[in-house]
Amino acid sequence: MCIRDRYQRRVRGRSDFTMPSAQMMLTVLWTMAQLEWLAATEGSWHKYLVIGAGPGGLQMAHYLESAGRDYLVLEKEPAVASFFREYPRWRKLISLNKRHVGTDLLDMNLRHDWNSLLSDPSPSSPASRHNSSTDPEIRVGTLPDPRLLFKEFDKQLWPSADHLVEYLENYAQTQHLRIKFKTHVAQITKDDNGDFACTASNGRVYRSKFLIMATGLGIPIEPLARRSEDLEHYSNASVNLEEYEGQRVLVLGRGNAAFEFSSNILGSTHFVHMMGQRGRVKIAWENHYPGAVRSIHAQLLETYMLKAMDIMQEENFEELFMDRDPDTGLWKVWGRDDDEMSVLETSVPGYHRIISCLGWRMDTSVFDSTRAGIRIEMVHKNKYPRVNGSYESSTVKNLFFAGTLMHSLDFQKASGGFLHGFRYLIRALHRHLEEVEEEDGAAWPARVVGERVEDIELVTRAILWRVDHASGIYQVFGFLADVILLLHRGDRFWVEYREEVPVFSMDVATKRWCIAAGADRCDYVALTMEYGEGPSRKELKEWERSKLTRDPFSPHRVGETGRDSHFLHPILRYYSGQQSSDREFHLRSTLQLPEHPLTVWGPEGGGDGQDLVEEFLELVFVASQLAAKSCSAESTGRCSPLELLPWEFIG
């Protein structure tokens, strides 16, 4: 008997029963299904174990569910999205929720939607009919449930964290994800078979061949200053504004957490002082990094510059000493002046509170480092795990990372540590696992976009469509690439298009696809979207050289060519291969299209993007054809026909 029938039998004949809403019915049915299914999962083996049911774990689980794989998500809390139930403390997200983009094309909507998870099927699912995520048939109205998009939950540009929790709960239910709640993984080892053994706090052991950590960053970073153990932290400081009335507060840190806390208490305090390590504040409107300080929390910058009693200062935390006066209860900060310690000038009045807002790092305590094959190597001051181009641990085979933990490769550069970035990295990871690790898994989705050298216009059209509409390469700028593969076998030539390949695994994946195609020779063109540095100081006139070229309000912020474009713009890079005996790839030529104010480079944008791409591809195709004919299988190094190409096209 199905669950729905059982539910109906329980309520049939009750006069006091009111038919629940569709959402309530869905919740009840999902909960009942979870209870029946989870009874059979105690201490079981699964091919995939996912640790953590935050947005990263849910996104990974969606693709595993869609592919029909044997998996289980282990979550220590009784519900999904435990991080967002507590953070951010003041409940306002910094992830954009732009609801109107002028089209119902799904990928174009996701380009400006920073909060929705992806819901497309796995390439191994029978439901997967499209080889392109930007296929014009895939529109918002084709989704099975409009509530798979976050904009159905919140209408604000800077949305509420509570609404994100509601969205993630709904996502887990509608996608029928297999999650075992209240299961705290206390230790992870490997058994004699090489499988992972995850021991829960209740003693039950869950085993798997593949382990995917999606736990996020769970350990607060402590200040290095002495006597700082009694400080308040971002995680436990009060959010009751009445408690800050007239107080003097020192906030440690200069990231979004510090600015968020400061901006919310400014109106209640006597003053707020912000202290960071020496160096310049990193601001998103200058460096384009979404994890840098965002304007929504930047009020302290203004009150500091307008001398409204608030202060920003830089100190070396290792040389500081923090002490609380036993009589007044006020905090003083001591620093080294020559060889003596003295109270910092800004600290003389004393602080009622010192709040540490220095961010988080990954909790690695669950890994038993005493066992062989389980040592985790960390980077970025022990904040993130070191991974390879497929987001697999650099030291532990079959251990992968999802969600925020994927950020080690693009830390402080792109969006891989945030939902609107890692959702695409997780899709790429799933495609990799299906193609490489599953015997019946689907290959990375590909489509043939040309079968003759003369098909340049078709290839150009495919590139420009992606440039104008794709969300993956737009959001994970510089770290995901579309790969246009040029294949030769005998007299045959054809072009295959693959989307959103991680740049750090691009060469390895391309070699794999060349071998699978049985090609004699392969070249490829990589398409990325990237921000630029803007014009160099040498290129500025003498009287302009003192200006910051990265200043978003500088008259030089808009580049006239692709090379000096400061904002997001497309870059095509041509990599030449060798014959089958030597499948190394070498960067030969680059085309940078100039930035466009409306981010439209196709014919609709009114520019010369189509002409530039066609000219570039024409030379690339000719060079690839000549190299395939003139370079023997024993050739090494460069083949002379490739010297036809200029190193860089100036778009």
Side-chain angles (χ1 to χ4, degrees):
M1 181 181 297
C2 72
I3 295 174
R4 182 181 295 273
D5 291 339
R6 294 179 186 175
Y7 180 80
Q8 290 175 344
R9 284 188 60 183
R10 292 174 186 174
V11 302
R12 189 178 294 129
R14 288 180 50 182
S15 59
D16 62 337
F17 175 72
T18 301
M19 192 63 187
S21 65
Q23 181 62 31
M24 184 183 297
M25 175 70 81
L26 175 62
T27 302
V28 171
L29 293 176
W30 184 71
T31 302
M32 293 173 64
Q34 285 274 304
L35 292 174
E36 293 187 2
W37 167 76
L38 288 174
T41 64
E42 298 292 350
S44 53
W45 186 94
H46 300 272
K47 191 166 189 179
Y48 298 90
L49 279 179
V50 180
I51 312 298
L58 298 182
Q59 186 68 87
M60 192 73 231
H62 157 71
Y63 286 115
L64 292 171
E65 177 71 28
S66 176
R69 300 303 173 198
D70 175 22
Y71 77 95
L72 179 64
V73 180
L74 301 179
E75 167 57 47
K76 67 178 181 179
E77 300 296 338
V80 302
S82 60
F83 180 88
F84 287 103
R85 293 176 189 273
E86 295 187 47
Y87 308 112
R89 293 297 310 282
W90 298 88
R91 311 311 291 151
K92 184 70 72 174
L93 298 172
I94 59 174
S95 47
L96 288 168
N97 181 35
K98 191 171 181 62
R99 297 181 298 117
H100 303 290
V101 300
T103 177
D104 65 346
L105 184 68
L106 179 59
D107 218 32
M108 189 64 178
N109 278 263
L110 289 171
R111 180 181 270 204
H112 302 287
D113 173 354
W114 289 23
N115 301 281
S116 296
L117 293 177
L118 304 178
S119 56
D120 59 310
S122 163
S124 296
S125 168
S128 180
R129 300 181 295 107
H130 301 276
N131 287 329
S132 171
S133 60
T134 48
D135 192 299
E137 293 182 28
I138 307 178
R139 298 183 174 270
V140 172
T142 63
L143 289 174
D145 182 352
R147 288 166 62 85
L148 289 172
L149 293 179
F150 177 76
K151 65 181 180 180
E152 298 294 326
F153 290 79
D154 198 306
K155 294 185 177 181
Q156 300 299 312
L157 181 64
W158 307 109
S160 162
D162 295 326
H163 290 159
L164 180 61
V165 171
E166 292 177 23
Y167 166 77
L168 294 173
E169 287 177 336
N170 179 76
Y171 184 90
Q173 293 171 10
T174 57
Q175 303 303 94
H176 310 293
L177 305 182
R178 307 175 197 174
I179 308 172
K180 186 169 182 59
F181 295 108
K182 298 182 181 180
T183 305
H184 180 205
V185 175
Q187 187 180 62
I188 298 174
T189 61
K190 275 196 169 185
D191 61 23
D192 295 337
N193 297 322
D195 288 341
F196 291 97
C198 300
T199 304
S201 55
N202 60 10
R204 294 191 175 96
V205 180
Y206 300 85
R207 303 178 188 275
S208 68
K209 178 179 180 181
F210 299 103
L211 181 64
I212 301 171
M213 296 294 294
T215 52
L217 305 176
I219 302 296
I221 297 175
E222 299 289 344
L224 297 175
R226 287 172 287 171
R227 294 291 300 276
S228 62
E229 59 273 7
D230 296 328
L231 304 181
E232 295 179 80
H233 290 268
Y234 176 83
S235 60
N236 60 22
S238 174
V239 291
N240 181 358
L241 289 177
E242 293 182 359
E243 297 186 23
Y244 295 91
E245 282 293 321
Q247 290 194 342
R248 299 183 291 274
V249 180
L250 174 63
V251 175
L252 301 180
R254 289 195 307 190
N256 276 302
F259 273 92
E260 176 206 356
F261 224 102
S262 300
S263 65
N264 278 281
I265 64 175
L266 277 177
S268 301
T269 59
H270 174 188
F271 60 67
V272 174
H273 289 178
M274 180 180 289
M275 182 183 293
Q277 294 279 35
R278 288 171 182 160
R280 196 171 187 276
V281 175
K282 296 179 175 64
I283 304 175
W285 68 61
E286 290 184 338
N287 63 13
H288 310 294
Y289 174 54
V293 175
R294 307 292 292 282
S295 61
I296 186 177
H297 295 320
Q299 291 94 322
L300 186 71
L301 290 174
E302 186 169 298
T303 58
Y304 168 53
M305 297 304 293
L306 295 178
K307 303 305 291 180
M309 303 189 75
D310 304 309
I311 291 177
M312 295 184 63
Q313 61 190 105
E314 297 78 37
E315 299 289 344
N316 186 347
F317 286 0
E318 296 182 20
E319 298 179 356
L320 297 181
F321 178 83
M322 298 179 183
D323 190 28
R324 202 168 198 167
D325 189 304
D327 297 325
T328 66
L330 298 178
W331 287 91
K332 298 290 181 70
V333 181
W334 299 66
R336 185 172 297 281
D337 185 8
D338 294 329
D339 293 331
E340 297 183 357
M341 297 292 290
S342 60
V343 175
L344 297 182
E345 183 179 17
T346 54
S347 171
V348 170
Y351 299 110
H352 296 90
R353 297 170 181 264
I354 299 180
I355 304 174
S356 177
C357 302
L358 299 175
W360 296 266
R361 60 180 176 84
M362 180 186 175
D363 182 1
T364 60
S365 62
V366 295
F367 293 100
D368 184 359
S369 59
T370 64
R371 297 284 296 272
I374 206 70
R375 182 181 60 84
I376 305 299
E377 188 176 358
M378 303 294 290
V379 293
H380 303 303
K381 298 181 180 179
N382 293 321
K383 189 177 180 77
Y384 294 102
R386 185 185 295 278
V387 298
N388 61 25
S390 299
Y391 297 94
E392 182 181 23
S393 168
S394 62
T395 54
V396 182
K397 182 176 175 56
N398 292 339
L399 171 61
F400 294 87
F401 298 93
T404 299
L405 297 179
M406 306 177 99
H407 201 25
S408 61
L409 295 182
D410 68 341
F411 179 54
Q412 295 187 344
K413 297 176 182 177
S415 60
F418 312 96
L419 191 155
H420 67 288
F422 64 61
R423 60 188 178 188
Y424 301 103
L425 299 181
I426 292 173
R427 178 161 66 184
L429 169 57
H430 173 69
R431 289 173 174 175
H432 167 80
L433 291 171
E434 287 297 304
E435 181 172 61
V436 175
E437 302 293 350
E438 296 290 349
E439 293 183 2
D440 61 342
W444 197 288
R447 64 188 191 277
V448 175
V449 293
E451 298 186 271
R452 302 175 303 162
V453 176
E454 294 78 17
D455 288 339
I456 290 176
E457 184 177 351
L458 296 176
V459 181
T460 300
R461 192 182 307 161
I463 290 173
L464 292 178
W465 178 264
R466 288 282 296 166
V467 162
D468 288 351
H469 302 92
S471 61
I473 56 175
Y474 189 94
Q475 293 284 26
V476 194
F477 45 88
F479 287 85
L480 280 183
D482 284 3
V483 172
I484 301 98
L485 194 57
L486 314 179
L487 300 115
H488 304 267
R489 186 171 63 222
D491 294 332
R492 186 191 173 196
F493 169 77
W494 72 103
V495 182
E496 294 180 354
Y497 202 113
R498 289 172 174 83
E499 299 171 1
E500 299 169 12
V501 181
V503 295
F504 285 103
S505 62
M506 196 163 54
D507 271 8
V508 173
T510 303
K511 293 173 190 176
R512 186 170 66 245
W513 298 326
C514 291
I515 294 173
D520 301 325
R521 178 188 175 84
C522 295
D523 302 330
Y524 73 91
V525 174
L527 166 64
T528 57
M529 304 284 284
E530 300 179 31
Y531 287 96
E533 296 292 335
S536 67
R537 291 184 180 271
K538 292 182 180 179
E539 295 173 308
L540 297 175
K541 296 178 181 178
E542 186 70 30
W543 63 274
E544 296 171 337
R545 288 182 182 174
S546 62
K547 298 182 180 180
L548 287 172
T549 59
R550 296 176 71 89
D551 181 355
F553 309 111
S554 164
H556 308 291
R557 67 184 182 273
V558 179
E560 296 182 359
T561 68
R563 187 176 60 184
D564 61 19
S565 288
H566 179 62
F567 293 100
L568 200 66
H569 62 287
I571 300 179
L572 291 166
R573 294 181 174 91
Y574 170 53
Y575 295 85
S576 71
Q578 299 294 333
Q579 305 303 95
S580 57
S581 61
D582 178 10
R583 293 188 180 275
E584 296 299 318
F585 293 96
H586 306 277
L587 178 63
R588 300 300 189 187
S589 190
T590 302
L591 168 67
Q592 297 196 48
L593 295 183
E595 60 193 67
H596 191 283
L598 300 178
T599 61
V600 180
W601 288 268
E604 298 83 0
D608 55 357
Q610 181 166 345
D611 293 338
L612 289 170
V613 174
E614 285 186 356
E615 178 185 351
F616 177 75
L617 290 179
E618 184 176 356
L619 289 174
V620 165
F621 278 27
V622 169
S624 182
Q625 284 286 98
L626 291 175
K629 293 179 180 179
S630 63
C631 297
S632 66
E634 291 76 26
S635 295
T636 58
R638 293 191 175 190
C639 296
S640 57
L642 297 173
E643 304 299 340
L644 293 169
L645 287 168
W647 173 254
E648 183 173 30
F649 286 77
I650 305 300

